[in-house]
Amino acid sequence: MFGVVLWADASDSKAVIWCEDHGNLAYYTAAEQNLHDCLDLDAGDLIQFDLREERDVRRARNLRRVDAGFAPAIVHELKTRGPAKTAPTGNVVSFPEARRAS
């Protein structure tokens, strides 16, 4: 799956990821895996990852950075979108199209 990092804490190696399927957010904790302990994530990074669904949470594993700084304004865009005033789709923010390497 592809996703954009919405929030990351480098000191704790944790991140919250907006998934391309627009489902629930995915959570990443480096403590759950040791393969990518050195991956420093920043808000706006486009990543590819394996998704594991648990009872009520989605977990991201095996993260691979596709594009650092892919969507630097995504957090601002999401914060400034308020509830739809007219149409129910008025508050939808499009997921940036992933630039996949050929």
Side-chain angles (χ1 to χ4, degrees), residues 6 28 36 53 57 64 73 76 85 87-89 100-102:
L6 295 179
Y28 168 74
H36 296 285
E53 300 219 22
V57 71
R64 296 164 296 283
H76 174 72
K85 292 183 176 46
T89 58
R100 297 179 176 117
S102 320

Side-chain angles (χ1 to χ4, degrees), residues 79-92:
K79 283 182 179 179
T80 58
R81 300 288 172 137
K85 292 183 176 46
T86 56
T89 58
N91 66 347
V92 174

Side-chain angles (χ1 to χ4, degrees), residues 31-52:
E32 294 178 1
Q33 63 182 45
N34 55 19
L35 182 61
H36 296 285
D37 284 343
C38 297
L39 185 62
D40 291 328
L41 299 171
D42 289 313
D45 286 354
L46 176 67
I47 56 172
Q48 185 175 19
F49 57 94
D50 297 328
L51 184 67
R52 185 180 82 223

Side-chain angles (χ1 to χ4, degrees), residues 16-28:
V16 177
I17 304 159
W18 182 28
C19 303
E20 69 179 326
D21 68 357
H22 298 282
N24 291 334
L25 298 175
Y27 299 92
Y28 168 74

